[in-house]
Amino acid sequence: MRHAIETVLLLAIGRVNQAMFWATRGRVVLYRFYGRPDVLLTVTGPDAPAGEVMGVGYLPDGDDYIVLATDAETGERAALRTATAATAELTPDQHVAVDITMLTDDAERAVLLDRLLRRASLDERHEVVRRREFPIARLTPHHKAAHAGSVAFSGIWLS
């Protein structure tokens, strides 16, 4: 039920945005949708000794990053499971070494997903639920990086 209400709400926000954008000839946008954040992850392991680069979706959990995937994304899970080292590219000039902890307990993943979705923005939450994503791994940075997590902002933008 909550997903249906959020879908209708997002459609209404989109329509209001379109009308305002059209009425002001592109000068005002009331709400910007950002979606779920992604990070480029370079993993090194027996299958990819030179390093395999892949984009993974995540939601922040404190200083950690929880990688989300669908049932169809088995390649990501295999690469993360066999990785011996990994580096996350949070911004083009910020690379952070991370430890990968696979999440295998279904009950633990369900509790974690519920907690993450409660703190996620409306459009992040909608995208995760729509795509039926679930947590597969926890990325723990070796040192605390400048936060490059999701940005949720609602306001008037003038150009």
Side-chain angles (χ1 to χ4, degrees):
M1 181 69 176
R2 180 179 179 176
H3 180 65
I5 292 170
E6 288 180 352
T7 300
V8 170
L9 182 60
L10 283 171
L11 288 172
I13 291 170
R15 296 285 187 225
V16 170
N17 262 353
Q18 287 176 336
M20 182 61 75
F21 190 79
W22 179 81
T24 62
R25 296 187 180 149
R27 291 188 298 257
V28 176
V29 175
L30 296 176
Y31 185 85
R32 294 202 186 259
F33 294 97
Y34 292 98
R36 180 189 32 79
D38 290 336
V39 64
L40 284 177
L41 196 61
T42 304
V43 293
T44 306
D47 297 333
E52 175 184 345
V53 178
M54 62 182 160
V56 295
Y58 74 91
L59 286 176
D61 185 29
D63 290 336
D64 295 348
Y65 304 94
I66 306 300
V67 177
L68 303 171
T70 64
D71 281 331
E73 297 169 334
T74 57
E76 287 180 0
R77 279 187 274 180
L80 291 173
R81 193 175 301 116
T82 61
T84 56
T87 304
E89 182 179 335
L90 303 175
T91 62
D93 59 341
Q94 185 180 25
H95 300 265
V96 177
V98 294
D99 291 327
I100 300 172
T101 306
M102 296 303 294
L103 303 172
T104 56
D105 182 23
D106 290 337
E108 178 187 339
R109 292 192 317 195
V111 169
L112 177 61
L113 182 62
D114 185 50
R115 187 177 76 232
L116 292 172
L117 291 179
R118 273 186 274 142
R119 292 186 299 201
S121 69
L122 178 66
D123 47 325
E124 286 174 336
R125 189 170 48 249
H126 178 75
E127 187 169 334
V128 169
V129 172
R130 181 184 61 82
R131 292 186 52 171
R132 295 186 177 140
E133 293 179 324
F134 54 91
I136 62 168
R138 176 180 295 275
L139 305 178
T140 305
H142 287 189
H143 63 279
K144 190 173 180 176
H147 186 65
S150 62
V151 177
F153 176 81
S154 178
I156 297 175
W157 292 70
L158 300 174
S159 52

